[in-house]
């Protein structure tokens, strides 16, 4: 991770660079896609609304809020995007 994370776009770009075969910036900008951060003290994930909540060793995940696709781990092609 870079020393300074200044925006949600930085986080999205890091996910895309780490998983280029599965993710695109366009996909991550969809309103049905969210980035979640784990609250270690309660062992739950919640939607990341403020990048200042990211600390060393934070766990982040990309989550599809659409119930029909939330548990489908197979990439779908939409207009050339996965």
């Amino acid at each position: 991770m870079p020393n300074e994370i200044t925006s949600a776009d930085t986080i999205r770009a890091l996910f895309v660079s780490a998983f280029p075969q599965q993710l695109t910036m366009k996909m991550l900008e969809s309103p049905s896609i969210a980035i979640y951060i784990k609250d270690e003290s309660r062992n739950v994930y919640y939607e990341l609304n403020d990048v200042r909540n990211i600390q060393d060793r934070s766990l982040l995940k990309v989550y599809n809020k659409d119930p029909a696709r939330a548990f489908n781990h197979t990439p779908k092609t939409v207009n050339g995007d996965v």
Side-chain angles (χ1 to χ4, degrees):
M1 299 272 298
N3 289 336
E4 281 194 39
I5 299 169
T6 56
S7 71
D9 284 337
T10 304
I11 300 300
R12 290 183 196 105
L14 288 169
F15 270 107
V16 171
S17 67
F19 304 100
Q21 300 299 319
Q22 292 86 17
L23 300 172
T24 65
M25 286 299 287
K26 183 177 178 181
M27 178 190 295
L28 293 179
E29 291 168 351
S30 166
S32 65
I33 301 292
I35 296 175
Y36 277 58
I37 186 168
K38 187 173 185 181
D39 179 340
E40 291 289 340
S41 65
R42 293 186 280 170
N43 198 32
V44 296
Y45 283 90
Y46 62 91
E47 191 167 348
L48 179 65
N49 295 315
D50 187 346
V51 296
R52 292 175 294 184
N53 291 336
I54 300 172
Q55 303 296 320
D56 185 37
R57 307 225 185 262
S58 289
L59 296 176
L60 303 175
K61 69 177 178 178
V62 174
Y63 180 73
N64 191 332
K65 297 187 279 185
D66 178 2
R69 298 182 70 169
F71 298 105
N72 184 357
H73 299 291
T74 305
K76 300 279 184 187
T77 301
V78 178
N79 296 332
D81 290 338
V82 175

